[in-house]
Amino acid sequence: MTDKMGTVARAVASPNTEIIACNPPSAPVSLECHYDEAIAIPHLLAEMGDSDIDGYIIGCFGDPGLMAAREITTAPVLGIAEAAMHVASFLATGFSIVTTLSRTKIIAEHLVINYGMERHCRNIRAIDLPVLELEIKDSPAQNLIRQECQKALQEDGCGAIVLGCAGMADLAQKLSTELGVPVIDGVSAAVKLLEGIVALGLKTSKQGNFAFPPKK
Amino acid sequence: MTDKMGTVARAVASPNTEIIACNPPSAPVSLECHYDEAIAIPHLLAEMGDSDIDGYIIGCFGDPGLMAAREITTAPVLGIAEAAMHVASFLATGFSIVTTLSRTKIIAEHLVINYGMERHCRNIRAIDLPVLELEIKDSPAQNLIRQECQKALQEDGCGAIVLGCAGMADLAQKLSTELGVPVIDGVSAAVKLLEGIVALGLKTSKQGNFAFPPKK
Amino acid sequence: MTDKMGTVARAVASPNTEIIACNPPSAPVSLECHYDEAIAIPHLLAEMGDSDIDGYIIGCFGDPGLMAAREITTAPVLGIAEAAMHVASFLATGFSIVTTLSRTKIIAEHLVINYGMERHCRNIRAIDLPVLELEIKDSPAQNLIRQECQKALQEDGCGAIVLGCAGMADLAQKLSTELGVPVIDGVSAAVKLLEGIVALGLKTSKQGNFAFPPKK
Amino acid sequence: MTDKMGTVARAVASPNTEIIACNPPSAPVSLECHYDEAIAIPHLLAEMGDSDIDGYIIGCFGDPGLMAAREITTAPVLGIAEAAMHVASFLATGFSIVTTLSRTKIIAEHLVINYGMERHCRNIRAIDLPVLELEIKDSPAQNLIRQECQKALQEDGCGAIVLGCAGMADLAQKLSTELGVPVIDGVSAAVKLLEGIVALGLKTSKQGNFAFPPKK
Amino acid sequence: MTDKMGTVARAVASPNTEIIACNPPSAPVSLECHYDEAIAIPHLLAEMGDSDIDGYIIGCFGDPGLMAAREITTAPVLGIAEAAMHVASFLATGFSIVTTLSRTKIIAEHLVINYGMERHCRNIRAIDLPVLELEIKDSPAQNLIRQECQKALQEDGCGAIVLGCAGMADLAQKLSTELGVPVIDGVSAAVKLLEGIVALGLKTSKQGNFAFPPKK
Amino acid sequence: MTDKMGTVARAVASPNTEIIACNPPSAPVSLECHYDEAIAIPHLLAEMGDSDIDGYIIGCFGDPGLMAAREITTAPVLGIAEAAMHVASFLATGFSIVTTLSRTKIIAEHLVINYGMERHCRNIRAIDLPVLELEIKDSPAQNLIRQECQKALQEDGCGAIVLGCAGMADLAQKLSTELGVPVIDGVSAAVKLLEGIVALGLKTSKQGNFAFPPKK
């Protein structure tokens, strides 16, 4: 899945942007609940030490560790859920999220509130397959995702779809074409937003809440 | 002011982005209340006919006509208030807006609500000078803006500043350096967000609310 | 439709109230999206010059130009959506709105938020016929409206109906009788609210946000 | 105070409106907390039996018993806080409430939420004199109210004042003139709104929540 | 029903807690609307005079008179709806309420808002039987409650059930076992919360809003 | 600090409650930002394996890892911020939080939103001393806390204080007596709430969001 995200990211990145896709080797293989996220976050934060990095993207739709990550760097940091929802809000008055397991809906719900997307997010839907199913050839996952997107468009009063899992990153363009509405993948959205922020010379604010952690 | 915005936009635009800065000749010279916006909007919309345009930016901090503009084109459309607030929310847990006249605060307040920024926007402040003061050489405007930004940082618990008028676009970088926090100008923010969205091939959703206006 | 509104307004007006129903000749014939509203608003505002007028009603359920209208006069100004929703909130703990095209629901949604009616408005429903259908003899519109009202009463947990289009003004009383619940038309509601406000000698506040537009 | 309210009501009522101002003899002499309201409500409801009444106004700014009152009659019922806040929201983008004791602010706060006025109500201020002080000749109350209104206009960003006690009903017009902004008394506001609703033939919905209480 | 509540309360109370279950003799036999509550509240408050009482529980799911009760005592006072909802929020990310008559749903809705439970409460459901049906042997009520709980678990995305009537207090444990999720009765929840608060020596704040009622 | 919490907890615990106060040895010595929390959470979760435990309390005012903790056990789990805020909401219509560093206010803000306490929490105040200052004999911390509590009572319109750090647990009773209002420490509040929930036989719901983490 990390490779897939790297490929998607590189496909949309500007020519002079170098994408480094990495996965902490000892973190859980997929993040499907608060516990998985909690265990993964310190590993994720440990990957962030390199001062040559211009910006970071957290490649999991739960945006795990986003606030902590912003504390330990001056580089801008984006979550892929955050990026996808904000872009969706520019293109339609409402979007629905299509994710994997129902139990992750509560994580997306909290993000919707944190990002002020309560009125833009019309529904959060799950196909109820685990994340790693998305990596299996000939899995029914892709069909279930398409069907859930179609239902969303018919029932939720939405004009765009947000794909609620990094593992769906490679489907966005195909689904956009098939469904005739913007289908937004957070990985590619985050790449372009981050490139923009870096180009503007903007950095994570170190005044106040995102100041470097106090020394112990 | 249109020239200034064009210059700012071009300064941050990618090499292969062409910026066309235009101002409807018969619209009000500055937009400082709902009435000014109402009168300007049809002129603004009338500028939008060209099918060669990849995306539009509405260059006034009230984001006038944004919803209507999205109805009449498939190209993505961004408002500069929208762009600035969203970018600010990526860099700090809270931002304050510094604008011109107090009476425009209500317009910004409504945008804050529309964009779900109630919890991110800590305060809206005004220097109480009219918009066109910003164009006058040796005006006290620049000093007042700096002072208001400083007060915001001391009193509002914010970590970033959003400049609440297109006429302040040229001050962002200088103030960022002086104040040591992200100071965000909506014009440049919108240019980079829009470039990103265009690069992703995303368009305004024509399903539902932003469908082309019904024929009469 | 302007005539119909005039008739409805006069039917409920007090004997010493003179109703002037007017329609800017060059505005769109019906307002069914943000674009239609944007184009109509300057025409609407241009009708408002006469200092002998005691109060204004904006006769379209989107309340287009309401804020701008309040800036250019000291007379009180009411929108018909605003009037209808407020009156409905006095008579039932929840109401549903029945409107014409689905695409106008987003406009009503924004008004619901602006007027603080999120908890009172239980649903917004559309019959999916264009506004001008309401003017056609033997149109199925009236039946569709009645059916949608009945569904609202059965499914939405509401105790009152707000008719979501000025073109439905003449149906309120008949539907009220048939359905046994308050069915509220904004035109007549606005007439009575406005008469009351005028009788109290209250005017649009000129302190702050609704002050006359700055001179250019 | 009941006489004062009757006088104010009659002064604004239409010629063919008969105002009956009554006060349950065994209720508390003033309502200044939840307990006072709780004790008064059954007395208030007991006054409401007469089927000849076209509509009811609850003449206390806490709108005590409003929901219960709407259950036991088909006539429309208005609270004076409700009436004042809704009218204020038509005339300014924000209002402040000036009331008597600080401890009653929590009651007003809850009403603000119930009526969806969170964004319209900018502040709730108290002069910290008991209600009955308003009835004493040469009391400092009137001066304190004026001062508090002036502070509200200077500090709260509001364009209108809502008087937060029925005992202030006679001050509205005078203060309006002195302060140059709408100062709204709930008694007179409720009279005009109620006359309008009655004229429209609208009644409290008996479908659902306001149905007559179940027989025991 | 009072006896039942006393039995349930004693079954969960600590050995050294004395439960006094009392019912004002002249209050309505069941509280099923705002009017019933309004009439019952003064009777309820009149029961509260004894200074030997360590804490009070209001044994009706509408928490009638809770604010007034807190004004007339320094002892802590809990409502059973309040207790049940707060406990539910500790055990699941969402709960549904199952109550008796549909018309009482509006009362529960207001409590949900007052207690900040909008995001925790997923749905409010009614079996549409009157309260006193719960006291009848062989009534279908128990089956209807179980069915509604099951529907809630299937359709509402909730992980816990709150029983929305004091008359259901004896069903909580049985339903918990049958359904495999926490089913929370407010009477027993309130007993344990109140014992805890009393043990901590905490009392109702007499600073500000809950100060004793002003003397008349 | 762990010892202090253990002492406070044991002082309020019922005689047959055994308190085990533990601190993961390799976690940060104090949690003062998102990063500290993120690093501590896996250590905290690793402490939770023992199936003999009846319930867990997370002894840090940020309630770190609360959602994850609820996933890995059937025992009830409480955070001390959660416990303190809920108890405060039973005793006063509003409370203020007094915490250590200003930068932790954003963490408390998010908890306030998560727990639905936006209307109950009047202010969050910081004394701007690091957490470990609370452990130093003769530190000015205690005086600063008292002063901040007094300011809260004078300026915030609150009737109770929530102590915003586990290190303040031993001050609650003393401050309550001095200030004459409920001053609530989350450690002792959580002990009593948890004892109550355990006594009721209630457990964390395993239906849905808090189900055990998926096996990898």
Side-chain angles (χ1 to χ4, degrees):
Chain A
M1 195 179 298
T2 308
D3 289 346
K4 189 201 287 180
M5 282 194 254
T7 308
V8 168
R10 273 176 216 108
V12 301
S14 296
N16 49 358
T17 299
E18 182 190 358
I19 301 285
I20 305 170
C22 60
N23 186 37
S26 44
V29 291
S30 64
L31 306 189
E32 301 177 316
C33 61
H34 296 94
Y35 178 79
D36 292 351
E37 290 194 359
I39 298 303
I41 289 171
H43 298 285
L44 180 159
L45 298 172
E47 299 275 321
M48 284 178 59
D50 190 333
S51 63
D52 287 347
I53 304 297
D54 290 312
Y56 296 91
I57 294 171
I58 296 177
C60 167
F61 199 79
D63 294 354
L66 182 57
M67 300 291 272
R70 285 177 176 156
E71 289 175 347
I72 60 170
T73 180
T74 56
V77 187
L78 287 180
I80 64 170
E82 185 184 43
M85 291 192 216
H86 282 83
V87 166
S89 80
F90 300 148
L91 301 172
T93 59
F95 60 81
S96 288
I97 300 172
V98 174
T99 186
T100 51
L101 293 181
S102 281
R103 69 175 299 157
T104 66
K105 287 161 69 172
I106 188 73
I107 296 177
E109 255 182 57
H110 286 164
L111 296 180
V112 164
I113 293 166
N114 288 350
Y115 303 150
M117 292 286 160
E118 294 98 321
R119 290 194 284 270
H120 288 93
C121 179
R122 300 284 156 153
N123 204 357
I124 305 174
R125 291 166 167 273
I127 57 166
D128 273 317
L129 284 183
V131 169
L132 293 182
E133 268 286 328
L134 299 171
E135 303 310 296
I136 297 169
K137 215 173 157 289
D138 299 328
S139 150
Q142 212 176 112
N143 270 333
L144 289 173
I145 294 167
R146 187 188 300 100
Q147 283 166 29
E148 207 63 35
C149 291
Q150 284 164 333
K151 271 206 240 173
L153 292 170
Q154 283 156 25
E155 299 171 11
D156 300 349
C158 66
I161 302 288
V162 165
L163 295 177
C165 179
M168 303 175 180
D170 54 338
L171 304 176
Q173 216 151 12
K174 201 178 154 202
L175 285 169
S176 264
T177 310
E178 284 178 23
L179 299 169
V181 300
V183 176
I184 295 150
D185 147 55
V187 176
S188 43
V191 169
K192 299 314 286 183
L193 293 186
L194 191 57
E195 285 181 346
I197 291 167
V198 169
L200 292 171
L202 291 169
K203 295 186 174 302
T204 298
S205 175
K206 291 287 122 181
Q207 159 132 351
N209 301 322
F210 290 146
F212 285 103
K215 288 269 158 41
K216 302 296 170 190
Chain B
M1 194 179 299
T2 307
D3 289 346
K4 189 202 288 181
M5 282 194 255
T7 307
V8 168
R10 272 174 217 111
V12 300
S14 296
N16 49 358
T17 298
E18 184 190 358
I19 302 286
I20 305 171
C22 60
N23 186 37
S26 44
V29 290
S30 63
L31 307 190
E32 300 177 314
C33 62
H34 296 95
Y35 178 79
D36 291 351
E37 289 193 0
I39 297 303
I41 289 171
H43 298 286
L44 180 160
L45 297 171
E47 299 275 320
M48 283 177 59
D50 190 333
S51 62
D52 288 347
I53 304 296
D54 291 311
Y56 296 91
I57 294 170
I58 296 177
C60 167
F61 198 80
D63 293 352
L66 181 58
M67 301 291 272
R70 285 179 176 154
E71 290 176 345
I72 60 171
T73 179
T74 58
V77 187
L78 288 180
I80 63 169
E82 185 185 44
M85 290 193 218
H86 282 83
V87 166
S89 79
F90 300 149
L91 302 171
T93 59
F95 61 80
S96 288
I97 299 172
V98 174
T99 186
T100 50
L101 293 181
S102 282
R103 69 175 299 158
T104 66
K105 285 161 70 172
I106 189 72
I107 296 178
E109 255 182 58
H110 285 165
L111 295 180
V112 164
I113 293 166
N114 287 350
Y115 302 152
M117 294 286 161
E118 293 98 323
R119 287 194 286 269
H120 288 92
C121 179
R122 301 282 156 153
N123 204 358
I124 306 174
R125 291 165 168 273
I127 56 164
D128 274 316
L129 285 183
V131 170
L132 292 181
E133 268 286 327
L134 300 171
E135 304 309 297
I136 296 170
K137 216 173 156 296
D138 300 326
S139 149
Q142 213 177 110
N143 270 332
L144 290 173
I145 294 168
R146 186 187 300 102
Q147 284 165 28
E148 206 63 35
C149 291
Q150 284 165 332
K151 272 205 240 173
L153 292 170
Q154 284 156 23
E155 299 171 9
D156 300 350
C158 68
I161 302 289
V162 165
L163 296 177
C165 178
M168 303 176 181
D170 54 339
L171 304 175
Q173 216 151 12
K174 199 177 157 204
L175 285 170
S176 264
T177 309
E178 284 176 21
L179 299 170
V181 300
V183 176
I184 296 151
D185 145 55
V187 176
S188 44
V191 169
K192 300 314 286 182
L193 294 186
L194 190 57
E195 284 182 347
I197 291 167
V198 169
L200 292 171
L202 291 168
K203 294 188 175 300
T204 297
S205 176
K206 290 287 122 180
Q207 159 130 352
N209 300 323
F210 290 144
F212 285 102
K215 290 267 157 42
K216 302 297 168 189
Chain C
M1 194 180 299
T2 307
D3 288 347
K4 190 203 286 182
M5 283 194 255
T7 307
V8 167
R10 273 176 215 108
V12 301
S14 296
N16 50 358
T17 298
E18 182 190 359
I19 301 286
I20 305 170
C22 58
N23 186 37
S26 43
V29 290
S30 64
L31 307 189
E32 300 176 315
C33 62
H34 296 95
Y35 179 79
D36 291 351
E37 289 192 2
I39 298 304
I41 289 171
H43 298 285
L44 180 159
L45 297 171
E47 299 275 320
M48 285 178 59
D50 191 332
S51 62
D52 287 347
I53 303 296
D54 291 311
Y56 295 91
I57 294 170
I58 296 177
C60 168
F61 198 79
D63 293 355
L66 181 57
M67 300 293 272
R70 285 178 175 155
E71 290 175 347
I72 60 170
T73 178
T74 57
V77 187
L78 287 180
I80 64 169
E82 184 185 44
M85 291 193 218
H86 282 83
V87 165
S89 80
F90 300 149
L91 301 171
T93 60
F95 60 82
S96 288
I97 299 172
V98 174
T99 185
T100 51
L101 293 181
S102 281
R103 70 175 300 158
T104 66
K105 285 162 70 171
I106 190 72
I107 297 177
E109 255 182 58
H110 285 164
L111 296 180
V112 163
I113 293 166
N114 288 351
Y115 302 151
M117 293 286 160
E118 293 98 321
R119 288 195 284 271
H120 288 93
C121 179
R122 301 282 158 154
N123 204 357
I124 305 174
R125 291 164 167 275
I127 57 165
D128 274 315
L129 284 184
V131 169
L132 293 181
E133 268 288 325
L134 300 171
E135 304 310 295
I136 297 170
K137 216 172 156 292
D138 301 326
S139 151
Q142 212 178 112
N143 271 333
L144 290 173
I145 293 167
R146 187 188 299 102
Q147 284 166 28
E148 207 63 35
C149 290
Q150 284 165 333
K151 271 206 240 172
L153 292 170
Q154 283 156 24
E155 299 171 9
D156 301 349
C158 68
I161 302 289
V162 165
L163 295 177
C165 178
M168 303 175 180
D170 54 339
L171 304 175
Q173 215 152 11
K174 200 178 155 204
L175 285 169
S176 264
T177 310
E178 284 177 23
L179 300 169
V181 300
V183 177
I184 296 151
D185 146 55
V187 176
S188 43
V191 168
K192 300 312 287 184
L193 294 186
L194 191 56
E195 285 182 347
I197 290 167
V198 169
L200 293 171
L202 291 168
K203 294 187 175 302
T204 298
S205 175
K206 290 288 121 182
Q207 158 130 354
N209 301 322
F210 291 145
F212 285 102
K215 288 267 159 40
K216 301 299 167 190
Chain D
M1 193 180 300
T2 309
D3 288 347
K4 189 202 287 180
M5 281 194 255
T7 307
V8 167
R10 272 175 216 109
V12 300
S14 296
N16 50 357
T17 298
E18 183 190 0
I19 302 286
I20 306 172
C22 60
N23 186 37
S26 43
V29 290
S30 64
L31 307 189
E32 299 177 316
C33 62
H34 296 95
Y35 178 79
D36 292 351
E37 288 194 1
I39 298 303
I41 290 171
H43 298 286
L44 180 160
L45 297 172
E47 301 273 321
M48 283 179 59
D50 189 332
S51 63
D52 287 347
I53 304 297
D54 290 311
Y56 295 91
I57 293 171
I58 296 178
C60 167
F61 198 79
D63 293 354
L66 181 58
M67 301 291 273
R70 283 176 177 157
E71 289 176 346
I72 60 171
T73 179
T74 57
V77 186
L78 288 180
I80 63 169
E82 186 184 44
M85 290 192 218
H86 283 82
V87 166
S89 79
F90 301 147
L91 301 171
T93 59
F95 60 81
S96 288
I97 299 173
V98 174
T99 185
T100 51
L101 293 182
S102 281
R103 69 175 300 157
T104 66
K105 286 161 68 171
I106 189 71
I107 296 177
E109 256 182 57
H110 285 165
L111 296 180
V112 163
I113 293 167
N114 288 350
Y115 302 150
M117 293 286 162
E118 293 98 322
R119 288 194 285 269
H120 288 91
C121 179
R122 301 283 156 153
N123 204 357
I124 306 175
R125 292 165 168 273
I127 56 165
D128 273 316
L129 284 184
V131 169
L132 293 182
E133 268 286 326
L134 300 171
E135 303 310 295
I136 297 170
K137 214 169 158 295
D138 299 327
S139 149
Q142 213 175 110
N143 270 333
L144 289 173
I145 294 168
R146 186 187 300 101
Q147 284 167 27
E148 206 63 35
C149 290
Q150 283 165 333
K151 271 204 240 174
L153 292 170
Q154 282 157 24
E155 299 172 10
D156 300 349
C158 67
I161 302 288
V162 165
L163 296 177
C165 179
M168 303 174 181
D170 53 339
L171 305 176
Q173 217 151 12
K174 200 176 155 204
L175 285 168
S176 265
T177 310
E178 285 177 21
L179 299 169
V181 299
V183 177
I184 296 150
D185 146 56
V187 176
S188 43
V191 168
K192 299 314 288 182
L193 294 187
L194 190 57
E195 285 181 348
I197 291 168
V198 169
L200 292 171
L202 290 168
K203 294 185 174 304
T204 298
S205 175
K206 291 287 121 180
Q207 159 130 351
N209 300 322
F210 290 146
F212 286 103
K215 287 270 157 43
K216 302 296 167 189
Chain E
M1 193 179 300
T2 309
D3 289 346
K4 190 202 285 181
M5 281 194 254
T7 307
V8 167
R10 274 176 215 108
V12 301
S14 296
N16 50 357
T17 298
E18 184 189 357
I19 302 286
I20 305 171
C22 59
N23 186 36
S26 43
V29 291
S30 63
L31 307 189
E32 301 176 315
C33 62
H34 296 94
Y35 178 78
D36 291 352
E37 289 193 0
I39 298 303
I41 289 171
H43 298 286
L44 181 159
L45 297 172
E47 299 275 321
M48 283 180 59
D50 190 332
S51 63
D52 287 347
I53 303 297
D54 290 311
Y56 295 91
I57 294 170
I58 296 177
C60 168
F61 198 80
D63 294 354
L66 181 58
M67 301 292 271
R70 284 178 175 155
E71 290 174 347
I72 60 170
T73 180
T74 57
V77 187
L78 288 180
I80 64 169
E82 186 185 43
M85 289 192 218
H86 282 82
V87 166
S89 79
F90 300 148
L91 301 170
T93 59
F95 60 81
S96 287
I97 299 172
V98 174
T99 186
T100 51
L101 294 181
S102 281
R103 70 176 296 158
T104 66
K105 286 162 66 172
I106 188 72
I107 296 177
E109 255 182 58
H110 285 164
L111 295 180
V112 163
I113 293 166
N114 288 350
Y115 303 151
M117 294 286 160
E118 293 97 324
R119 289 194 283 269
H120 287 93
C121 179
R122 300 284 156 152
N123 204 357
I124 305 174
R125 290 166 168 274
I127 57 167
D128 272 316
L129 284 184
V131 170
L132 293 182
E133 267 288 326
L134 300 172
E135 303 310 296
I136 297 170
K137 216 173 158 293
D138 300 326
S139 150
Q142 214 177 109
N143 271 333
L144 290 173
I145 293 167
R146 186 186 301 101
Q147 284 166 28
E148 206 64 34
C149 290
Q150 284 165 333
K151 271 205 242 173
L153 292 170
Q154 284 156 23
E155 299 171 9
D156 300 350
C158 66
I161 301 288
V162 165
L163 295 177
C165 178
M168 302 175 181
D170 54 339
L171 303 175
Q173 216 152 14
K174 202 178 153 201
L175 285 169
S176 263
T177 310
E178 284 178 21
L179 300 169
V181 300
V183 176
I184 294 150
D185 146 54
V187 176
S188 43
V191 168
K192 300 314 286 182
L193 294 186
L194 191 56
E195 284 182 348
I197 290 167
V198 168
L200 292 171
L202 291 168
K203 294 184 174 305
T204 298
S205 176
K206 289 287 121 180
Q207 159 130 354
N209 301 322
F210 290 146
F212 285 102
K215 289 268 158 41
K216 302 296 168 191
Chain F
M1 195 180 297
T2 308
D3 288 346
K4 190 202 285 180
M5 282 194 254
T7 307
V8 168
R10 273 176 215 109
V12 301
S14 296
N16 49 358
T17 298
E18 183 190 358
I19 301 287
I20 304 171
C22 59
N23 185 37
S26 43
V29 291
S30 64
L31 307 189
E32 300 176 314
C33 63
H34 296 94
Y35 178 78
D36 292 351
E37 289 193 0
I39 297 304
I41 289 171
H43 298 286
L44 180 160
L45 298 171
E47 299 274 320
M48 283 178 60
D50 190 333
S51 63
D52 287 347
I53 304 296
D54 290 312
Y56 295 91
I57 294 171
I58 296 177
C60 167
F61 199 80
D63 294 354
L66 182 57
M67 301 292 272
R70 284 177 175 156
E71 290 176 346
I72 59 171
T73 179
T74 57
V77 187
L78 288 180
I80 64 169
E82 186 185 42
M85 290 192 217
H86 283 82
V87 166
S89 80
F90 301 149
L91 301 171
T93 59
F95 60 81
S96 287
I97 299 173
V98 174
T99 186
T100 51
L101 293 181
S102 282
R103 68 176 297 157
T104 66
K105 286 161 69 172
I106 188 72
I107 297 177
E109 255 182 56
H110 285 165
L111 295 180
V112 163
I113 293 166
N114 287 351
Y115 302 151
M117 293 287 160
E118 293 98 323
R119 289 194 285 269
H120 287 93
C121 180
R122 300 285 158 153
N123 204 357
I124 305 176
R125 291 166 168 273
I127 57 165
D128 272 317
L129 284 184
V131 169
L132 293 181
E133 268 286 327
L134 300 171
E135 304 310 296
I136 297 171
K137 217 173 155 293
D138 300 326
S139 150
Q142 212 176 109
N143 271 333
L144 290 173
I145 294 167
R146 186 187 299 102
Q147 283 166 28
E148 206 63 35
C149 291
Q150 285 165 332
K151 271 206 243 173
L153 293 170
Q154 283 157 23
E155 299 171 10
D156 300 350
C158 66
I161 302 288
V162 165
L163 296 177
C165 179
M168 303 174 180
D170 53 339
L171 304 176
Q173 217 152 11
K174 201 178 154 202
L175 285 169
S176 264
T177 310
E178 285 176 22
L179 300 169
V181 300
V183 176
I184 295 151
D185 146 54
V187 176
S188 43
V191 169
K192 300 314 287 182
L193 293 186
L194 191 56
E195 284 182 347
I197 290 167
V198 169
L200 292 170
L202 290 168
K203 294 185 174 304
T204 298
S205 176
K206 289 288 120 179
Q207 159 131 353
N209 301 323
F210 290 145
F212 285 102
K215 287 269 156 40
K216 301 295 169 191

